[in-house]
């Protein structure tokens, strides 16, 4: 399969506008590269919808609140390009930092609890940088549809809020988490795990799966505490948070909600690598509401 690579905003915009004018839907998959099957699932979803697909690779410096995380973020351009060619995506947009930020820029976004809890709390400035670049990219590419993974559950909710607030004419499509066969959520950061650390990291998904089995037996508050403690006692894992919140409002849950989903969200360090994962817990335990 052939693929066109654009580095300039004007080129990718002209491509997208040309296709839209000709009646095609453009589907956009923003990434930071180091591509894996999770990213490819977003491309496949876009192709299944009949979109012409553009993937961006841009390691956005303004969303890293930790300079060593930015310096060590995996960059695997040649491998990414080969994967993209196989995936059947049409265009790669691969801009430089100067192309996206001719001058320094970081808008502040306030979506209440959604911006301030969990990742918003533990990674100050991260969501401001992420939303700033997603808004810029959506305005550059002007897609009909943009695809994001539920792996970054809070990010997806914030992007939906931002698009609504800014009235950006795009449909945001959320896509399920893709996991390795042993359950580990795929992530570019997994590449940095040593083999032993990768084994240790499995505690994260195991605890999430176990908790999901127990939603009828216990209250969210108890399960969140249990999840945190189990991770704390796991070899090589240092949990930052394990919370069960309302999947729409992100309010921490005392009781199971009767008309919203609940979601368990976790961030944990394995060595120096910070991993996140989550599990939607459906409206199961109505007896507690
Ligand atoms: P990233 O390159 O990590 O910024 O991710 C780019 C997009 O891929 C985001 O929308 C992520 O939520 C999504 N993504 C990353 N990992 C996964 C996964 N394991 N399953 C599904 N989507 C994912």
């Amino acid at each position: 399969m052939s693929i066109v690579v654009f580095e300039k905003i004007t080129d990718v915009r002209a491509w997208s506008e040309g296709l839209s004018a000709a009646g095609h839907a453009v589907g956009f998959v923003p990434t930071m590269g180091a591509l894996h099957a999770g990213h490819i699932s977003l491309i496949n979803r876009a192709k299944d919808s009949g979109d012409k697909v553009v993937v961006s690779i841009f390691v956005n410096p303004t969303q890293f609140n930790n300079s060593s995380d930015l310096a060590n973020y995996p960059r695997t351009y040649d491998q990414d390009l080969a994967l993209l060619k196989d995936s059947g995506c049409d265009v790669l947009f691969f801009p430089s930092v100067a192309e996206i930020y001719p001058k320094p820029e970081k808008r502040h976004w306030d979506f209440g609890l959604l911006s301030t809890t969990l990742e918003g709390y533990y990674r100050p400035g991260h969501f401001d940088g992420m939303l700033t670049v997603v808004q810029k990219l959506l305005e550059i590419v002007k897609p009909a549809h943009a695809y994001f993974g539920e792996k970054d559950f809070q990010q997806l909710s914030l992007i939906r809020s931002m698009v609504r607030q800014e009235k950006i004419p795009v449909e945001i499509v959320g896509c399920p988490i893709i996991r390795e066969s042993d359950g580990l959520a795929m992530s570019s950061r997994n590449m940095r795990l040593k083999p032993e650390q990768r084994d240790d990291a499995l505690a994260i998904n195991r605890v999430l799966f176990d908790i999901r089995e127990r939603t009828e037996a216990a209250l969210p508050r108890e399960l969140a505490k249990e999840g945190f403690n189990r991770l704390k006692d796991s070899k090589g894992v240092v949990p930052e948070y394990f919370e069960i919140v309302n999947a729409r409002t992100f309010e921490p849950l005392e009781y199971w909600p009767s008309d919203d989903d609940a979601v368990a969200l976790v961030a944990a360090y394995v060595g120096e690598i910070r991993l996140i994962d989550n599990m939607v817990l459906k409206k199961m335990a109505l007896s507690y509401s």
Side-chain angles (χ1 to χ4, degrees):
M1 287 268 193
S2 71
I3 182 171
V4 182
V5 182
F6 294 129
E7 296 184 2
K8 297 291 172 207
I9 290 172
T10 45
D11 291 338
V12 72
R13 185 175 277 154
W15 173 83
S16 173
E17 286 177 348
L19 281 175
S20 302
H24 292 287
V26 170
F28 180 35
V29 179
T31 81
M32 298 205 299
L35 300 180
H36 50 66
H39 298 113
I40 303 301
S41 75
L42 306 185
I43 298 172
N44 288 336
R45 178 75 176 270
K47 282 185 6 190
D48 289 348
S49 306
D51 292 352
K52 296 284 179 190
V53 186
V54 48
V55 173
S56 64
I57 296 181
F58 181 64
V59 182
N60 175 36
T62 67
Q63 73 186 68
F64 285 80
N65 57 315
N66 174 326
S67 55
S68 83
D69 190 27
L70 172 60
N72 291 317
Y73 199 82
R75 288 163 170 87
T76 57
Y77 181 80
D78 293 341
Q79 204 179 306
D80 289 352
L81 195 61
L83 272 176
L84 288 176
K85 282 182 181 158
D86 287 347
S87 77
C89 100
D90 299 280
V91 159
L92 167 62
F93 179 44
F94 185 60
S96 65
V97 172
E99 182 72 4
I100 297 295
Y101 298 112
K103 54 180 175 21
E105 195 181 342
K106 191 170 183 176
R107 277 186 69 179
H108 177 61
W109 303 83
D110 181 3
F111 293 105
L113 194 56
L114 206 50
S115 325
T116 53
T117 190
L118 306 178
E119 293 297 283
Y121 179 81
Y122 286 100
R123 300 188 67 190
H126 164 65
F127 283 142
D128 283 343
M130 180 280 292
L131 288 172
T132 299
V133 83
V134 170
Q135 183 190 23
K136 285 171 85 67
L137 289 170
L138 289 174
E139 283 170 356
I140 291 166
V141 175
K142 298 196 180 119
H145 314 122
Y147 299 84
F148 295 89
E150 288 174 2
K151 160 83 173 23
D152 299 277
F153 195 87
Q154 195 174 0
Q155 164 175 295
L156 175 58
S157 302
L158 279 163
I159 290 169
R160 289 189 195 284
S161 301
M162 181 271 284
V163 161
R164 225 177 289 129
Q165 175 180 292
E166 301 299 315
K167 300 188 172 45
I168 302 175
V170 61
E171 183 193 342
I172 301 298
V173 183
C175 303
I177 301 178
I178 304 298
R179 298 178 179 279
E180 304 281 359
S181 56
D182 55 12
L184 185 66
M186 290 194 182
S187 164
S188 305
R189 289 187 174 84
N190 293 351
M191 290 180 195
R192 296 183 55 206
L193 296 169
K194 300 190 182 89
E196 192 186 331
Q197 291 177 318
R198 198 195 165 291
D199 286 346
D200 295 345
L202 291 174
I204 297 170
N205 50 281
R206 288 195 180 128
V207 170
L208 281 171
F209 278 94
D210 288 353
I211 293 286
R212 189 176 61 178
E213 296 306 308
R214 298 198 352 93
T215 47
E216 284 183 84
L219 291 171
R221 188 167 29 89
E222 294 159 356
L223 286 182
K225 202 161 155 197
E226 179 185 317
F228 186 87
N229 286 336
R230 274 187 56 188
L231 284 181
K232 192 156 63 74
D233 294 341
S234 293
K235 181 177 91 55
V237 180
V238 179
E240 200 163 52
Y241 63 77
F242 190 111
E243 294 278 354
I244 298 181
V245 303
N246 180 306
R248 189 174 50 83
T249 64
F250 275 71
E251 278 157 335
L253 291 174
E254 288 280 317
Y255 303 99
W256 296 107
S258 54
D259 48 7
D260 277 319
D261 289 346
V263 59
L265 297 133
V266 52
Y269 280 90
V270 179
E272 289 188 347
I273 322 293
R274 185 177 185 278
L275 300 176
I276 59 171
D277 197 353
N278 69 79
M279 181 77 55
V280 174
L281 312 167
K282 294 292 179 191
K283 309 159 196 165
M284 294 173 71
L286 293 181
S287 53
Y288 289 111
S289 64

